[in-house]
Every structure is written in C-alpha cells, then in structure tokens.
Amino acid sequence: MRVKQISVFLENKSGRLAQVTRVLGENGINIRALAIADTTDFGILRLIVNDPELAYRVLKEAGFTVSVTDVIAVEVADEPGGLARVLAVLAEANINIEYLYAFVQRTASAALVVFRVEQLDEAVGALQAKGVRILAGEEVYTL
Amino acid sequence: MYWNQKYETMPREELRALQLERLQLTVERVYRNVPFYRQRFTEMGIKPSSIRSLEDLRRLPFTTKQDLRDNYPFGLFAVPLSEVVRIHASSGTTGKPTVVGYTQNDIRTWAELIARCLVCAGATKFDVVQNAYGYGLFTGGLGLHFGAELLGATVVPVSGGNTQRQLMLMQDFGTTILCCTPSYALYMAEEGQKMGIDFKKLPLKAGIFGAEPWSERMRAQLEEKLDLMALDIYGLSEIMGPGVAMECRYKQGMHIFEDHFIPEIIDPDTGEVLPPGEEGELVITTITKEAFPLIRYRTRDVTRLVVDPCPCGRTHARITRITGRTDDMLIIRGVNVFPSQVESVLLEFGETEPHYLLVVDRKANLDHLEIWVEVAEHMFSDKVRQLEDLEGRLRERIQSVLGISAKVKLVEPNTIPRFEGKAKRVVDRREI
Ligand SMILES: [Zn+2]
C-alpha cells in the first residue's frame, strides 16, 4: 500500500526545476504527480514517477540531492466534501499529515491524493476500515 | 607630545642595545620556564647564551598559531597561574580559542603602551574616551580601557553595539576620542547623519580605529563625516592586544613600540628575513612580557617595515597598513574568523567531507557573513520543517563558535566551486 516518492533539494534559482524534468524525460521517466514546497531560500520538489528507482539513480548521477520516502496514494471521491471525509478519518485516528498533494491524473470518478504521514501503517488501517481505497505502488506507477 | 619621551624617542643605537638586553632575558626566561621552547631550542642546538647580537634572533625558531593550539590552554605560559592576573582569548582555527595570559606587570605595560597610543592621537587627561571596542575575552575593550585610565582620561566603557545609545552618549558626554572598528565608526556616522546629528558641532577630535583592515579611502570618509583625525592602531591578542603599534598624527605608518617588541618582516614561504621596505609577513618577538612571551611569532599579517625618521620625533620603526594575510583568516566585524572553524561545526553535524563557502559582504558599512552549505543526502529531508530546523541549529552552533552571527544558506551539491580538487572556502566581496 506504499508508494515511493522521490524528493529533490532545489535552490530557488531559475532553471532548476526544468533541469530535473529534463533529466527524467531523457531517461524515459514519466511524472505522475508533483508538488513543490518552498521557503525564501530553497525548495523541495516531491515527485511520484513511473520508475522511482531509476529516477533516484539518474537524478543522483546528475548531481542532485535526492531521497526516497514512502507515502500513500488515496482515492478521494470527486464530489463536495470528498477530501474532508478522508481528513476526518485521519484526524480521528490521531494521524498527523505532514503534507499532501493531488495527482495530475485521476480515475473515472475519483481524484488521487498523495498523503505524507509519519504513521503509515496506522493511516492505511484507519482509511481502509472506513472503506477508503488506497492504491498500491504498482497501480500508481502504471497509471 | 609623548607619553614616555625617553623610550619613544630613544636614539636607535641605544634602543638596539636595550632590545638585545631584553631579548636575552626573554630567551633565558622561556628556556628556563617553557618546556616547549626549551625543547625547540635544544633540538636546534641553541642555548640562551647563543644570543649575542640582535642578528642572532634569526637563529631562533618561529612560533605559530598551531603551536599555541598544541599547548592549549596554558602550556606556553612562562609563569605559574598564580602570577597570572588576567586571561584573554581570540579565535582559534577550530572550536578552541587561542588563550593568552598577563601578569600584573604585563597589564601595566599594556596600559602604558595604550597611553602612548592615546597621546599619539593627541589625547590628554582632559579627554572623554568613548571605548566602543567589545569588553570581555576580546582584548579590544579592556586593553584600551586601562590605558585610557592610566592617561587620566574619562573613559566611557560603552563596549560595542547599540548604536542609538552610542550616539546619545557621544552627544551628552561630549566624547572627544572614539575607539572602535573603522567600519563601525562609519556606520555610526551614517546612522548619526540620518538622525540629524551635526558631527561638526560635536567635540570629537580623534578616532582610534583598528581590529580590522581599512584604507585611505575609509580614512577620508571617516575624517569628513565625523570631523576628527582618524588613526590606525595595530595589535593582536597573541602579542598583547591593541597597542602593539599606533599611527602618530603624521599618518605615515604605525610606530611599533620597539622597546617591548622586535618586529621582523619575512618571506612567508621561505622564512627568510627581508630588508626594511619590502613587503612580507610580520613576525614579532615580545621582549618584556612575563606571562606569555612569544619568540618570533608569525602574525600572518602582511605589511612593510619603515625605519626612516618620522617627523613626530619617535624613533620606533613603523609598519604600513596591513594589506593582507598569509593564511585564510578573515576579519568580520572586528572578529577573527577561520574557515576551519566552520568546518569543525559541520563535522560535528556528521558531515564527513563538508562542502561549504563563507561569503562576506559589506552593506551600509556592516559586515555580513553568509555560510553556504551543500546539502548532502544524509542531511536532506522531504520535510521543509526539518531542513529549516537544520539551518537553525547550524546557525546557532556557528554563532557560538565564531562569536558573530551568520546566515546559513543550504545549497545544492556541486554549487560551491572547486579548483584543482581543492575547494574555495571564502568569497570576500567587501570593498575596503
Ligand atoms: Zn610618528
């Protein structure tokens, strides 16, 4: 139920994001989801790709500081209150969300959202108990 | 005007005889009381009796900052700690400071030399001396303080910082002599101007500016803005502190008080002594210090020695403005900073081969230090909070080791330029 997320350290200067996507593109890696968290000085690029191991390797070889983190991909009903319901489940289980971001793609009736939490197993358990669908890594990579 | 006419204007032949006598006593004393020197001398086959002329000084070994570090904290003291009445310290090349000590007599000598410096600037007991050098382990504050008291001047021990208060006291107390770093004096001048202070109406007459390199351009600015005579003072804690050398009102180099110190200029690569007038590294031997005598201490400051007579009548040789360093030490806001100190902090943080760069800039006359650190994988996190927390911890630790604040900036790998495998550690953008 875990999805591998690639995180890349970026300084806030122009062209760096383009450089990352170029390296991925040249190696035939597709980006499934992407988000940037930034401060005044630096940013952290978070990526879900079709081949996390290859992405980790080629970015590292290109000189970036990269890390791999486990996250979960959750199907959120594409209707008002859909996300709120998922958040309520996690809040009830006392699970802190570090951050979340949405997928570019979606399934027929639902949006896909990436959750980064400290207590992964507890989060998965709580969500599944409430019938929330969580995608397996393979499902996400091959979207 | 002299503080001690006999010694300050002593004919050079007589001065040389005095230097030899004092050098012999110093060599004798360190041989007897400092195991480090006895061992060095013995290795080189030197006995105190080998020193028969001033030229024999060249036969003695150099002392380096590394030697001071190896003997941290009190290993080079030539008297028992019971005779030491004060300790000062300056930056070391790593986390540990360079420690120096003074006997009662050393403190008296220091005060006398500072009194000479103040008289060089035209000061008398009627002056109000605003001492804005930092008080504490740094030698600047207390060094100036005791000399100004000996002179009988009115000392305002305001210490560094708090510019608003400095300017208020300057006006209210009628400061006539200002002591601080030249960049801080310029900063005060500009802040004062903004507040509408007319320095021409204040009784300021001289500034004793030191603890960092400066220039004739800065002198012109200081004299114009503050309406005073801006003079350069030289010193380093290892030798004593401020007051090793001081400009007289002719501003043609700083008289080095040769009845207490013997200066030499050497080629930093070969160690060979250079003739007067040639630029090289200043080496100083103390010849009256009791607690912490140093033989041929390599200051790492680059300057020239001028021995021509000075119109002021002082016979002591002069050193010209310090034009650089033979090591990578930086002086930031008057504080000595070694890149290796930053490296030692990064090593504490688990960096095995830290890549970092010190970027120094001067904005509105204030020095700014930024430390770039390449983010290695083990430091990296996908969480912003964790990286900000790392920046914060690095900043605090660096501040505590360097004694000045710095901004820490995390940068991507390989952004810090490397030359021939050796990393560049400093970018100094200051225009002095
Ligand atoms: Zn003179």
Side-chain angles (χ1 to χ4, degrees):
Chain A
M1 291 295 115
R2 296 175 177 207
V3 175
K4 300 254 178 252
Q5 169 191 275
I6 300 291
S7 305
V8 188
F9 179 83
L10 291 181
E11 273 174 66
N12 282 348
K13 53 189 187 191
S14 61
R16 298 308 290 159
L17 179 59
Q19 177 72 8
V20 172
T21 54
R22 195 176 60 79
V23 170
L24 294 176
E26 279 169 0
N27 288 278
I29 297 164
N30 290 322
I31 299 170
R32 300 293 183 219
L34 155 161
I36 296 179
D38 61 358
T39 69
T40 46
D41 287 331
F42 63 84
I44 301 169
L45 172 65
R46 295 150 184 163
L47 295 161
I48 304 291
V49 297
N50 61 340
D51 188 343
E53 272 160 43
L54 179 64
Y56 175 79
R57 211 175 61 231
V58 296
L59 287 171
K60 214 172 136 84
E61 276 163 16
F64 289 97
T65 299
V66 195
S67 71
V68 182
T69 321
D70 284 338
V71 294
I72 48 178
V74 178
E75 210 174 64
V76 175
D78 196 5
E79 58 189 34
L83 181 60
R85 270 198 297 283
V86 174
L87 293 176
V89 172
L90 292 173
E92 207 168 299
N94 279 320
I95 288 162
N96 275 325
I97 300 164
E98 293 288 345
Y99 53 82
L100 55 84
Y101 55 97
F103 268 65
V104 188
Q105 277 149 311
R106 33 166 297 152
T107 54
S109 61
L112 288 174
V113 177
V114 174
F115 282 82
R116 165 74 159 103
V117 296
E118 285 300 346
Q119 314 105 299
L120 263 178
D121 294 332
E122 288 88 336
V124 169
L127 291 169
Q128 285 180 329
K130 296 284 179 184
V132 178
R133 193 166 98 83
I134 297 169
L135 280 75
E138 280 314 306
E139 276 183 89
V140 171
Y141 307 145
T142 55
L143 268 174
Chain B
M1 280 286 290
Y2 313 102
W3 173 254
N4 190 333
Q5 185 161 5
K6 179 182 167 203
Y7 286 98
E8 290 179 76
T9 64
M10 186 175 268
R12 285 203 68 82
E13 269 318 299
E14 211 177 311
L15 183 62
R16 287 173 60 83
L18 178 74
Q19 283 185 322
L20 177 59
E21 189 185 315
R22 290 180 167 179
L23 173 65
Q24 287 168 330
L25 286 172
T26 298
V27 170
E28 173 74 41
R29 215 170 44 241
V30 299
Y31 184 79
R32 205 165 358 105
N33 300 335
V34 187
F36 165 81
Y37 279 120
R38 183 166 44 239
Q39 195 192 332
R40 279 271 167 103
F41 290 1
T42 305
E43 279 166 14
M44 299 173 78
I46 298 165
K47 282 235 147 54
S49 56
S50 317
I51 306 302
R52 300 210 181 87
S53 73
L54 280 182
E55 281 61 43
D56 288 333
L57 178 60
R58 298 180 188 195
R59 300 176 54 194
L60 295 174
F62 292 116
T63 310
T64 64
K65 201 163 182 93
Q66 181 66 40
D67 296 327
L68 270 48
R69 194 178 139 199
D70 293 343
N71 290 281
Y72 176 86
F74 306 140
L76 293 183
F77 285 13
V79 297
L81 215 51
S82 55
E83 299 302 309
V84 173
V85 299
R86 202 196 294 168
I87 297 287
H88 278 290
S90 61
S91 312
T93 46
T94 59
K96 297 280 190 198
T98 299
V99 180
V100 298
Y102 306 77
T103 63
Q104 200 69 259
N105 275 335
D106 291 335
I107 295 288
R108 268 196 282 270
T109 302
W110 192 6
E112 140 117 28
L113 298 189
I114 290 292
R116 290 186 194 177
C117 295
L118 286 159
V119 173
C120 276
T124 67
K125 62 178 293 198
F126 299 103
D127 279 295
V128 175
V129 176
Q130 182 162 344
N131 187 9
Y133 284 113
Y135 281 66
L137 282 175
F138 173 59
T139 51
L142 286 166
L144 258 297
H145 184 100
F146 279 64
E149 279 192 359
L150 179 65
L151 176 67
T154 308
V155 193
V156 183
V158 57
S159 197
N162 201 336
T163 309
Q164 301 288 318
R165 190 177 57 168
Q166 299 273 3
L167 290 165
M168 179 186 81
L169 299 183
M170 187 185 288
Q171 296 174 89
D172 296 352
F173 295 176
T175 299
T176 55
I177 308 274
L178 176 63
C179 306
C180 61
T181 61
S183 61
Y184 188 58
L186 264 182
Y187 179 75
M188 267 198 259
E190 278 166 18
E191 288 301 295
Q193 265 172 354
K194 281 184 212 158
M195 288 163 62
I197 297 173
D198 181 359
F199 288 101
K200 300 211 168 18
K201 293 204 175 114
L202 295 184
L204 278 174
K205 66 182 197 196
I208 296 181
F209 301 131
E212 66 182 14
W214 52 305
S215 61
E216 289 307 311
R217 186 185 69 91
M218 282 175 76
R219 184 186 332 252
Q221 283 183 318
L222 283 163
E223 297 196 332
E224 200 263 326
K225 286 179 197 288
L226 289 172
D227 193 30
L228 47 60
M229 175 170 68
L231 298 177
D232 200 357
I233 187 170
Y234 176 79
L236 62 164
S237 66
E238 296 95 314
I239 295 303
M240 181 177 77
V244 173
M246 173 75 197
E247 270 186 328
C248 65
R249 63 199 172 91
Y250 293 97
K251 302 173 189 167
Q252 291 169 11
M254 297 173 273
H255 289 284
I256 179 157
F257 297 117
E258 286 187 281
D259 51 335
H260 295 276
F261 312 107
I262 302 179
E264 297 170 276
I265 300 291
I266 64 158
D267 177 325
D269 298 321
T270 64
E272 189 195 335
V273 176
L274 300 174
E278 277 192 41
E279 190 173 81
E281 181 182 322
L282 177 64
V283 168
I284 298 176
T285 301
T286 69
I287 50 174
T288 55
K289 273 176 79 190
E290 295 179 343
F292 194 67
L294 286 178
I295 304 294
R296 303 192 82 197
Y297 183 67
R298 293 195 55 170
T299 66
R300 299 288 176 182
D301 285 321
V302 175
T303 182
R304 288 185 297 120
L305 204 57
V306 180
V307 288
D308 317 336
C310 181
C312 76
R314 288 177 183 82
T315 51
H316 296 187
R318 285 161 283 154
I319 50 172
T320 56
R321 274 197 195 284
I322 308 301
T323 52
R325 297 274 306 174
T326 61
D327 62 4
D328 56 3
M329 189 184 90
L330 290 160
I331 301 180
I332 301 170
R333 277 171 260 149
V335 176
N336 300 348
V337 171
F338 292 92
S340 51
Q341 290 177 289
V342 172
E343 182 155 332
S344 74
V345 170
L346 294 172
L347 291 170
E348 283 173 23
F349 276 72
E351 276 290 277
T352 45
E353 200 193 329
H355 291 294
Y356 60 94
L357 183 71
L358 283 75
V359 181
V360 199
D361 219 334
R362 186 167 284 179
K363 291 168 192 155
N365 297 306
L366 288 183
D367 290 343
H368 291 266
L369 171 62
E370 205 169 86
I371 294 166
W372 294 11
V373 180
E374 285 188 5
V375 180
E377 196 165 316
H378 74 90
M379 305 162 80
F380 181 49
S381 160
D382 64 310
K383 290 182 254 175
V384 171
R385 186 158 38 81
Q386 213 156 314
L387 285 182
E388 284 181 333
D389 178 58
L390 173 70
E391 268 185 346
R393 282 183 298 129
L394 276 171
R395 186 172 56 237
E396 273 175 33
R397 187 70 190 119
I398 285 170
Q399 175 159 358
S400 113
V401 170
L402 301 188
I404 54 165
S405 60
K407 178 181 158 58
V408 171
K409 186 179 169 195
L410 299 178
V411 298
E412 287 174 30
N414 302 306
T415 46
I416 294 168
R418 290 146 172 87
F419 298 104
E420 291 157 3
K422 203 176 178 303
K424 188 176 167 68
R425 295 303 188 204
V426 173
V427 171
D428 195 340
R429 297 178 179 146
R430 290 176 293 186
E431 274 177 35
I432 291 167

